[in-house]
């Protein structure tokens, strides 16, 4: 069994063709800009959408632990009392409450994937495992990848590569493509913005390159964080120096969709108030040029 927090169909930005993307819960990084903060914790969580709530108190009345109360700001959960039993979620008439992280067996996940095989094969698509960080679940991931392979499906893994080299090798052996997140080259800044250093990530990128395994690089492009000339140049130099270069470098302009998700989690987005912004169209073009000057194919989005 594994904790899955979403299954998205008809995805077109998670690898070639139309894909099913499986989101696995848990991530060793805690990026300030994370657009899937509900995927960071390895455990189930409860989400609350204030604008959907009608204040009926059904959830308050049904909670066996008396962990909920209605206040002027909406429903408040005492997390020390809450056991995440899900009773409130089941009874909420407006779906203002929802559980994030459902235990699913490999059989259940494969059954969901199989429903989409006609669309996948027609579009030359496949299945992408995402998160969170899917490499935190190597046994479950390897099982699913092998079963997808037996179905003749293209298999991609969207990963930060923050995992042991042994796990990376295991997953490479049963996958077709890595979508690798490269946040920034400065390790101290990486710790400040992502919670961990980047040495293991860079080492594993070299490992993937040396193996000849196909990979894309995906760089979040954030003004004030990593869109400066120094980081872009260092990133391009590093990628150009690899034995086998990425098939493409996708530059992903910053957005703050994670802010709304933090509200649902009851946490604070960018609580340190760090400066982050979407680079201008002109700056995005300049960043592409830096990579192209090193012989790397780069584009915005993807």
């Amino acid at each position: 069994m594994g904790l899955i927090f979403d299954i998205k169909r008809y995805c077109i930005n998670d690898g070639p063709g139309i894909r099913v993307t499986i989101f696995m819960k848990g991530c060793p990084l805690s990026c300030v800009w994370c657009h899937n903060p509900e995927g960071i914790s390895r455990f189930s969580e409860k989400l609350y959408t204030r604008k959907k709530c009608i204040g009926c108190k059904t959830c308050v009345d049904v909670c066996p632990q008396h962990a909920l109360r209605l206040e002027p700001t909406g429903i408040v959960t005492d997390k020390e009392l809450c056991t995440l039993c899900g009773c409130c979620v089941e009874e909420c008439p407006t779906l203002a409450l929802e559980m994030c992280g459902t235990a699913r067996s490999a059989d259940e996940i494969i059954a969901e994937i199989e429903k989409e095989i006609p669309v996948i094969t027609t579009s030359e698509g496949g299945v992408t495992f995402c998160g969170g960080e899917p490499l935190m679940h190597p046994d479950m991931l390897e099982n699913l990848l092998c079963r997808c392979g037996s179905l003749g499906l293209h298999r991609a893994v969207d990963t930060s590569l923050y995992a042991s080299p042994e796990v990376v090798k295991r997953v490479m052996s049963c996958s077709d493509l890595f979508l690798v997140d490269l946040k920034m080259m400065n390790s101290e800044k990486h710790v400040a913005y992502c919670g961990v250093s980047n040495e293991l990530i860079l080492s594993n990128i070299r490992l993937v390159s040396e193996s000849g395994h196909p990979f894309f690089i995906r760089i979040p492009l954030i003004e004030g964080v990593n869109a400066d000339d120094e980081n872009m140049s260092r990133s391009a130099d590093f990628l150009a120096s690899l034995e086998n270069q990425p098939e493409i470098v996708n530059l992903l302009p910053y957005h703050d969709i994670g802010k709304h998700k933090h509200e649902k989690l009851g946490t604070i987005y960018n609580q340190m108030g760090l400066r982050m912004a979407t680079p201008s169209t002109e700056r995005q073009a300049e960043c592409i040029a830096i990579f192209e000057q090193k012989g790397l194919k780069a584009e915005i989005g993807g």
Side-chain angles (χ1 to χ4, degrees), residues 12 131 208 234 248 268:
I12 58 173
V208 172
R234 287 184 63 187
I248 191 167
I268 300 173

Side-chain angles (χ1 to χ4, degrees), residues 48-51 53 69-76:
Y48 173 61
T49 305
R50 175 68 182 89
K51 66 181 180 180
C53 181
R69 64 183 184 275
L70 177 62
E71 295 191 351
T73 56
I75 294 296
V76 176

Side-chain angles (χ1 to χ4, degrees), residues 100-153:
C100 177
T102 304
R104 306 286 288 269
S105 69
D107 287 345
E108 290 174 316
I109 296 170
I110 292 297
E112 292 297 319
I113 292 169
E114 287 178 329
K115 295 176 184 177
E116 308 302 325
I117 286 180
V119 174
I120 291 172
T121 54
T122 300
S123 70
E124 297 184 348
V127 182
T128 299
F129 293 90
C130 185
E133 172 51 71
L135 297 191
M136 287 185 70
H137 313 278
D139 295 336
M140 180 74 160
L141 180 60
E142 185 176 25
N143 182 1
L144 290 167
L145 287 168
C146 289
R147 292 180 65 171
C148 286
S150 69
L151 294 170
L153 301 176

Side-chain angles (χ1 to χ4, degrees), residues 17 42 50 124 182 193 233 283 293:
R42 295 188 63 169
R50 175 68 182 89
E124 297 184 348
L182 177 60
Y193 282 98
S233 295
R283 182 57 193 159
Q293 287 168 6

